[in-house]
Amino acid sequence: MRFSGSATYVTTRDLNLAVNAAITLQRPLLIKGEPGTGKTMLAEEVAAALGMPLFQWHIKSTTKAQQGLYEYDAVSRLRDSQLGEARVADIGSYIVKGVLWQAFECETASVVLIDEIDKADIEFPNDLLRELDRMEFFVYETRQTVRARQRPVVVITSNNEKELPDAFLRRCFFHYIRFPDKETMQSIVDVHFPGLKPALLREALEVFFELREIPGLKKKPSTSELLDWLKLLLAEDIPPEVLRSKEQKAAIPPLHGALLKNEQDVHLFERLIFMARHNR
Amino acid sequence: MLIDFFLHLKASRLPVSIQEFLTLLEALRQHVIAHSIDDFYLLSRAVLVKDESHFDKFDRAFGEYFKGVEALPGMEVLIPEEWLRRAVKKHLSDAERARLEKLGWEKLMETFRQRLAEQKERHSGGSKWIGSGGSSPFGHGGTHPEGIRLGGRSENRSAVKVWERREYRNLDDSVELGTRNIKVALRRLRRFAREGAAEELDLEGTIAGTARNAGWLDLKLRPERHNAVKVLLLLDIGGSMDDHIRVCEELFSACRSEFKHLEHYYFHNCVYDYLWRDNRRRHSERIATHDVLHRYGNDYKLIFVGDASMSPYELLQPNGSIEFNNVEPGAAWLRRLADTWPHSIWLNPEAEHSWPYRQSTSLIHNLLGGRMFPLTLDGLERGMRLLSK
Ligand SMILES: Nc1ncnc2c1ncn2[C@@H]1O[C@H](COP(=O)(O)OP(=O)(O)OP(=O)(O)O)[C@@H](O)[C@H]1O
Ligand SMILES: [Mg+2]
């Protein structure tokens, strides 16, 4: 069981190593990186590559650790009791299994994705320490212990909105996905647009990386924006020459709305172009 | 050997723990990596460093420690000549082999052994040592036509080690203050409370109420929990503040998402009789500072943001304002504000070491009893700590 990217997902050597180390030692893998650098996708790819089912837990600001284990639907039970339903007697029918429970129950080894853990309350990771360490938890309502049949591979992503607690970090492997360099980016694009004309790709990447260099951008365009933009360029059948034109420095690239999504960035960009035109 | 490595990291002030060190040993025991220093670098980083802003520190510490060592246990063994011959056959093209012959096998082996023996010093990019690259005929991935790889995978990477490239330098404590850092710093001010419309189910209350009702459902609702801290932000705008627009915008947007009760007003250089909310309509829609003083309770935390750079007249003289004729000097207004809101600080985007050299900055610094902080991550942290007391 070794992960080394896939036909649809481009990885680097350091990422592969971190993934494999986490799998071998059965520790959670924490992934950080700029938005759109394939953090969420990684878990899907690991699951697909290892042929394991994937259990996804997308975290929101209101998510509680307990919800990943199970929830006791007391309100339904109360309501049923008012109506005199028979199932009221069995507390088990009001226990709703969470993502971790489902993964623990899985016959085969599985992959668990805890996506954007930093969205939750600061204490959230601490509340999961023991469960992730031991891969088991206790259900008070039914007095049973749920234990993982097979320790799942746990991938956790963070966008760095909050610092994570040290005790939690100590238990993880960590990998920071850097923004891809030109070569890696080329492979990523190849994966998504296998038949893309090399000339168009070259020019597009040129424009893209130049755009990222503009100082003062609020949000630099990322991989997913590049891919969207290429899709549009293809749909509109924009020829590579348009991107390369001699005047390029002073021309706004076509469909740039796909790359710059922030109004202020677009203004900044247009101002720069304007200045470039008038300074020549 | 690895204990020294661990202690060296610790001494380099990386926050590494024993638990993580043991994990590293466990990973080595389970052969997560082959005997390659590059892989060891990646593995130890993934296990020991959990924050990309520490990567650069780790790179430096790693480089210092492995300077001259480069060989991991298992790599020090002499490579058998037979293996080398085979490796050469396998890895070199005919033309390359022909050129290699020029040096002669015997000679090559001899030099090779010698160098292994001499190998005590650093050998990264030079042309003599058996580094993993460079133009020495030994070491892997080099460009020398006579190069032979020893361990590691063929990737033809440049001679400089990954850790020597210092690629993470710009992540080091993100000197740049970005919204996220600001938010993390502002979180110090969090104080959760339940206020407002009752919209959330209070489960415990409901159960208790229902029990009291002899089993008939008694639903109880309560307001959602949110950050109850109240902040009044006064921002200097225009003039010398133009240089700091970006960081101020970031601070502002972070504040807006963090505090439910956030009020903001603008001033120019110093606060006088009027403030305004919308900079485009500063002349038509200004608000008397007196009104602001009375509008917000003293539980608000007051944060000034400004470079405190102005002529001392603007602070000390009536009519000193560059914009209009103020009856009272700016200093009187500042004092009044600071008295109304005991929890107040001043955030200054100018570098802290420049403050003493600017008269107006010193004046305001004193006026606020020293509660001026630079608009850096550290300054914000200090400021927030003081405000949360
Ligand atoms: N290495 C890669 N190989 C192939 N496609 C990639 C790669 N990196 C990013 N992509 C493309 O970019 C898209 C965005 O990836 P993903 O949603 O996983 O990013 P993310 O890091 O989770 O972003 P966010 O921080 O916004 O959640 C993917 O759907 C994929 O199309
Ligand atoms: Mg994501």
Side-chain angles (χ1 to χ4, degrees):
Chain A
M1 275 208 310
R2 277 198 103 70
F3 176 73
S4 58
S6 74
T8 49
Y9 188 67
V10 179
T11 55
T12 50
R13 170 152 164 245
D14 45 350
L15 176 58
N16 290 336
L17 193 141
V19 170
N20 288 317
I23 294 176
T24 310
L25 271 84
Q26 309 191 319
R27 302 287 158 94
L29 174 63
L30 172 65
I31 299 285
K32 284 206 253 172
E34 271 188 55
T37 42
K39 298 186 291 297
T40 304
M41 203 178 168
L42 174 70
E44 295 163 18
E45 291 297 327
V46 171
L50 304 181
M52 296 176 180
L54 172 66
F55 295 93
Q56 307 192 37
W57 188 12
H58 298 283
I59 308 300
K60 293 186 293 187
S61 64
T62 50
T63 307
K64 302 271 176 307
Q66 181 66 32
Q67 293 166 344
L69 311 177
Y70 68 94
E71 281 179 287
Y72 170 44
D73 189 358
V75 176
S76 295
R77 192 168 189 216
L78 272 173
R79 193 195 47 226
D80 286 355
S81 76
Q82 312 279 298
L83 302 173
E85 298 258 345
R87 67 181 197 137
V88 131
D90 178 13
I91 193 167
S93 16
Y94 300 94
I95 301 273
V96 184
K97 290 175 186 173
V99 174
L100 286 178
W101 190 333
Q102 292 169 32
F104 287 2
E105 224 175 34
C106 188
E107 296 285 344
T108 62
S110 59
V111 177
V112 171
L113 166 66
I114 305 182
D115 203 21
E116 314 206 354
I117 193 168
D118 52 324
K119 293 272 178 301
D121 190 77
I122 291 181
E123 287 306 320
F124 178 90
N126 279 336
D127 296 344
L128 283 176
L129 284 186
R130 207 183 135 78
E131 286 71 13
L132 290 180
D133 255 0
R134 314 278 302 264
M135 293 290 177
E136 66 175 46
F137 59 88
F138 186 69
V139 186
Y140 295 94
E141 285 77 2
T142 55
R143 315 221 153 269
Q144 73 184 117
T145 300
V146 178
R147 202 166 282 133
R149 291 164 193 251
Q150 307 252 7
R151 283 179 77 95
V153 177
V154 180
V155 179
I156 300 168
T157 76
S158 161
N159 274 329
N160 240 350
E161 281 190 14
K162 280 182 202 117
E163 281 165 26
L164 301 170
D166 288 343
F168 175 78
L169 291 174
R170 278 200 296 274
R171 289 165 165 80
C172 300
F173 281 73
F174 173 61
H175 182 75
Y176 179 82
I177 301 190
R178 298 181 54 211
F179 194 81
D181 55 15
K182 245 188 199 165
E183 240 169 79
T184 314
M185 193 53 109
Q186 183 131 12
S187 330
I188 294 179
V189 172
D190 285 345
V191 157
H192 285 265
F193 303 97
L196 198 66
K197 276 185 248 130
L200 180 64
L201 176 57
R202 205 170 46 240
E203 301 307 338
L205 280 180
E206 204 72 37
V207 173
F208 173 75
F209 278 100
E210 248 169 49
L211 207 66
R212 277 183 57 86
E213 292 297 306
I214 297 181
L217 279 189
K218 276 186 158 345
K219 179 171 183 317
K220 294 182 179 182
S222 70
T223 316
S224 42
E225 270 110 33
L226 171 66
L227 295 176
D228 287 344
W229 184 51
L230 283 172
K231 222 176 282 166
L232 287 178
L233 290 179
L234 284 179
E236 302 270 320
D237 214 5
I238 306 270
E241 301 83 71
V242 176
L243 300 179
R244 187 183 48 226
S245 70
K246 275 249 151 33
E247 309 289 285
Q248 202 235 295
K249 281 264 177 296
I252 297 182
L255 309 164
H256 65 290
L259 292 172
L260 297 175
K261 298 199 170 140
N262 184 305
E263 202 183 330
Q264 272 155 298
D265 283 350
V266 175
H267 288 325
L268 171 73
F269 183 60
E270 286 168 353
R271 265 204 314 271
L272 285 173
I273 299 271
F274 181 81
M275 269 153 43
R277 264 189 211 145
H278 290 262
N279 285 342
R280 267 175 311 144
Chain B
M1 163 198 184
L2 283 182
I3 291 185
D4 286 342
F5 171 59
F6 176 68
L7 293 178
H8 178 73
L9 295 181
K10 192 105 189 130
S12 310
R13 313 197 49 194
L14 280 154
V16 287
S17 69
I18 296 178
Q19 185 181 3
E20 288 159 313
F21 178 59
L22 294 177
T23 309
L24 174 62
L25 295 183
E26 179 62 22
L28 289 176
R29 202 179 60 83
Q30 297 204 26
H31 302 294
V32 170
I33 54 167
H35 292 301
S36 136
I37 183 113
D38 285 357
D39 281 353
F40 179 72
Y41 161 77
L42 293 174
L43 176 70
S44 51
R45 197 184 70 191
V47 178
L48 297 171
V49 193
K50 306 298 161 67
D51 183 345
E52 67 279 10
S53 65
H54 289 148
F55 278 4
D56 189 50
K57 209 188 274 179
F58 178 76
D59 283 357
R60 274 175 288 151
F62 193 94
E64 278 160 28
Y65 186 77
F66 282 101
K67 200 180 338 185
V69 181
E70 239 97 275
L72 278 174
M75 277 186 78
E76 291 130 332
V77 297
L78 267 187
I79 285 113
E81 195 169 324
E82 190 43 40
W83 183 89
L84 257 188
R85 275 184 203 280
R86 251 185 288 133
V88 167
K89 286 226 179 66
K90 206 156 100 201
H91 291 289
L92 298 186
S93 72
D94 288 2
E96 285 169 327
R97 233 177 301 148
R99 265 194 282 168
L100 191 70
E101 307 273 87
K102 279 194 304 204
L103 201 59
W105 267 112
E106 260 38 86
K107 180 102 174 54
L108 195 69
M109 285 300 114
E110 185 50 32
T111 351
F112 180 64
R113 267 189 220 101
Q114 256 177 28
R115 295 210 183 151
L116 261 186
E118 285 174 76
Q119 206 188 100
K120 283 205 183 68
E121 281 165 60
R122 172 192 187 76
H123 49 64
S124 47
S127 61
K128 182 175 177 199
W129 305 104
I130 312 172
S132 45
S135 56
S136 157
F138 311 108
H140 69 89
T143 51
H144 195 280
E146 294 163 13
I148 298 166
R149 274 188 320 106
L150 305 176
R153 251 169 291 159
S154 147
E155 270 178 50
N156 210 9
R157 279 172 308 137
S158 70
V160 185
K161 311 279 176 308
V162 202
W163 54 93
E164 283 174 352
R165 284 187 231 148
R166 306 267 317 266
E167 284 170 333
Y168 298 93
R169 191 188 271 152
N170 58 354
L171 293 176
D172 194 359
D173 278 331
S174 316
V175 190
E176 186 192 331
L177 195 66
T179 331
R180 108 180 139 77
N181 292 329
I182 300 180
K183 279 193 199 161
V184 171
L186 291 180
R187 292 226 153 94
R188 283 192 177 279
L189 275 189
R190 275 187 170 184
R191 194 159 296 157
F192 284 105
R194 299 186 184 275
E195 278 173 8
E199 283 170 339
E200 193 182 85
L201 177 68
D202 175 2
L203 195 54
E204 263 110 68
T206 302
I207 293 172
T210 306
R212 224 176 297 118
N213 251 359
W216 284 102
L217 196 50
D218 179 17
L219 282 181
K220 290 265 197 289
L221 296 172
R222 63 184 174 192
E224 207 180 318
R225 209 171 76 112
H226 55 73
N227 192 353
V229 163
K230 301 170 179 172
V231 173
L232 177 60
L233 203 57
L234 299 185
L235 300 126
D236 181 0
I237 193 138
S240 52
M241 284 297 284
D242 281 353
D243 301 341
H244 310 295
I245 284 182
R246 192 178 144 93
V247 64
C248 290
E249 277 178 353
E250 283 174 348
L251 175 73
F252 187 64
S253 90
C255 282
R256 211 164 31 197
S257 71
E258 183 63 25
F259 303 118
K260 190 161 176 182
H261 307 280
L262 173 72
E263 303 292 341
H264 74 276
Y265 295 92
Y266 296 111
F267 62 92
H268 188 182
N269 280 3
C270 186
V271 179
Y272 304 102
D273 309 48
Y274 297 101
L275 296 164
W276 57 96
R277 262 215 139 105
D278 182 338
N279 203 37
R280 275 165 302 177
R281 286 182 294 237
R282 54 188 294 190
H283 297 295
S284 52
E285 286 179 22
R286 51 189 202 178
I287 295 156
T289 308
H290 265 300
D291 287 346
V292 173
L293 279 165
H294 293 123
R295 191 170 296 171
Y296 306 106
N298 64 1
D299 53 339
Y300 269 80
K301 318 244 182 211
L302 173 62
I303 303 178
F304 293 98
V305 182
D307 58 4
S309 303
M310 60 198 93
S311 109
Y313 295 112
E314 292 176 61
L315 265 178
L316 300 174
Q317 299 287 319
N319 292 327
S321 163
I322 47 174
E323 297 216 322
F324 82 122
N325 296 327
N326 51 313
V327 183
E328 287 177 287
W333 282 107
L334 289 181
R335 209 168 288 129
R336 197 168 286 145
L337 287 163
D339 287 347
T340 305
W341 291 287
H343 293 284
S344 55
I345 58 167
W346 186 295
L347 293 174
N348 191 337
E350 293 283 337
E352 194 166 3
H353 60 80
S354 71
W355 298 352
Y357 303 107
R358 208 162 277 152
Q359 208 182 343
S360 58
T361 311
S362 300
L363 280 168
I364 293 180
H365 191 265
N366 290 338
L367 230 147
L368 287 173
R371 295 189 308 253
M372 183 182 279
F373 301 93
L375 196 39
T376 61
L377 201 51
D378 171 62
L380 259 181
E381 294 252 2
R382 282 189 279 149
M384 294 306 127
R385 210 174 301 139
L386 193 123
L387 277 186
S388 63
K389 276 191 187 140

